[in-house]
Amino acid sequence: MSQPQNLSDLEAKLNDLSAGAGLALIAELFPEKVVFSTSLGQEDQVITQLIASQNLPIQIFSLDTGRLFPETLELLSRTESKYKTRIKVYYPDTASVEKLVGDIGINGFYESVENRKSCCFVRKVEPLKRALAGNAVWVTGLRAEQSANRSEMRRIEWDEANQIIKYNPLLDWTFEQMITYIEEHRIPYNPLHDQGFISIGCAPCTRAILPGEDARAGRWWWEDSKKECGLHSK
């Protein structure tokens, strides 16, 4: 798929719509070609509710890296039950995981940024590419205030690495706006959020943040590098 020429026009339309209305428009414009990746974080739970409440034809999928918190997997089950939907789960290639662990060790990602990125690639980036293949639009739960890198993103943009349109319906939502929406609509969320885990990824790579720390500080806390795994690199 090549980059569409009218993304700026579509962005202008979406900027005038609510997140729910924007998702409905995207589903209408790209029938059966829109997918939403959920990591079961609070932002993603909001989008799942918006999709389910409108019965939109958007496939919801998640990546099970094999190192997730038990609370995350339990939330996946609760979410499917509440919204009477099935979230398609993608797993890393077994042979690739075995080679990775053989090369760097079971927790070798602590030893270098290179090792950590190799782990993220095998467990997240490669499965994501399989999940996105054949689709036109990738919906994400990114918010601009999550990090400096994400503040530069647009509501809708071309993802060159995956050759797909990326739509970020909650890009301009504040943390407080998101929490209010979750409370008002009684959206299930990960109990780890109440323990200071703001951004939740794999268990060995996520810690609770301290007061005043950036929301992404709990991810790969032993590194000074940019807090991204490769899924949303520009």
Side-chain angles (χ1 to χ4, degrees), residues 6-204:
N6 60 345
L7 276 189
S8 59
D9 294 337
L10 181 55
E11 181 180 32
K13 291 180 181 178
L14 292 169
N15 283 336
D16 290 333
L17 298 176
S18 66
L23 285 165
L25 176 61
I26 288 293
E28 178 184 343
L29 293 176
F30 302 92
E32 307 303 324
K33 291 291 186 179
V34 183
V35 290
F36 165 50
S37 60
T38 176
S39 64
L40 287 300
Q42 288 165 308
E43 292 86 358
D44 294 336
Q45 290 298 93
V46 167
I47 295 177
T48 295
Q49 188 273 340
L50 290 170
I51 292 172
S53 64
Q54 301 179 84
N55 196 29
L56 298 177
I58 296 176
Q59 172 68 62
I60 304 173
F61 72 87
S62 189
L63 307 178
D64 185 345
T65 64
R67 303 300 297 268
L68 299 180
F69 286 95
E71 291 88 344
T72 302
L73 297 176
E74 192 275 333
L75 176 61
L76 191 152
S77 178
R78 282 197 289 134
T79 301
E80 288 186 326
S81 295
K82 180 175 178 65
Y83 297 115
K84 296 178 175 55
T85 189
R86 185 67 69 202
I87 296 173
K88 184 173 177 58
V89 180
Y90 287 84
Y91 297 89
D93 175 71
T94 301
S96 297
V97 172
E98 290 176 352
K99 184 179 186 307
L100 173 75
V101 174
D103 289 343
I104 71 173
I106 193 67
N107 286 339
F109 42 79
Y110 290 129
E111 297 174 5
S112 71
V113 174
E114 181 182 7
N115 282 1
R116 194 271 292 172
K117 289 185 176 180
S118 294
C119 188
C120 287
F121 182 84
V122 167
R123 295 182 183 275
K124 300 171 77 173
V125 177
E126 191 282 326
L128 174 74
K129 290 185 180 298
R130 282 189 275 121
L132 297 180
N135 290 289
V137 181
W138 170 23
V139 178
T140 86
L142 297 178
R143 290 187 303 107
E145 70 173 20
Q146 286 174 324
S147 68
N149 179 54
R150 296 181 178 189
S151 68
E152 300 173 359
M153 294 180 174
R154 306 182 70 89
R155 188 175 307 280
I156 195 161
E157 55 192 352
W158 176 249
D159 187 296
E160 184 65 28
N162 293 294
Q163 294 290 292
I164 197 168
I165 299 168
K166 183 190 287 186
Y167 174 43
N168 311 308
L170 304 186
L171 190 67
D172 58 353
W173 280 40
T174 65
F175 180 80
E176 292 75 17
Q177 183 180 359
M178 176 184 68
I179 295 301
T180 298
Y181 190 90
I182 288 173
E183 291 174 347
E184 289 179 348
H185 294 272
R186 298 183 178 181
I187 296 174
Y189 66 90
N190 197 320
L192 291 173
H193 289 307
D194 294 332
Q195 301 173 36
F197 290 78
I198 303 303
S199 177
I200 302 173
C202 293

Side-chain angles (χ1 to χ4, degrees), residues 113 116 219-227:
V113 174
R116 194 271 292 172
R219 304 292 293 277
W220 312 293
W221 68 92
W222 65 93
E223 294 182 6
D224 293 326
S225 61
K226 186 164 58 177
K227 303 292 186 176

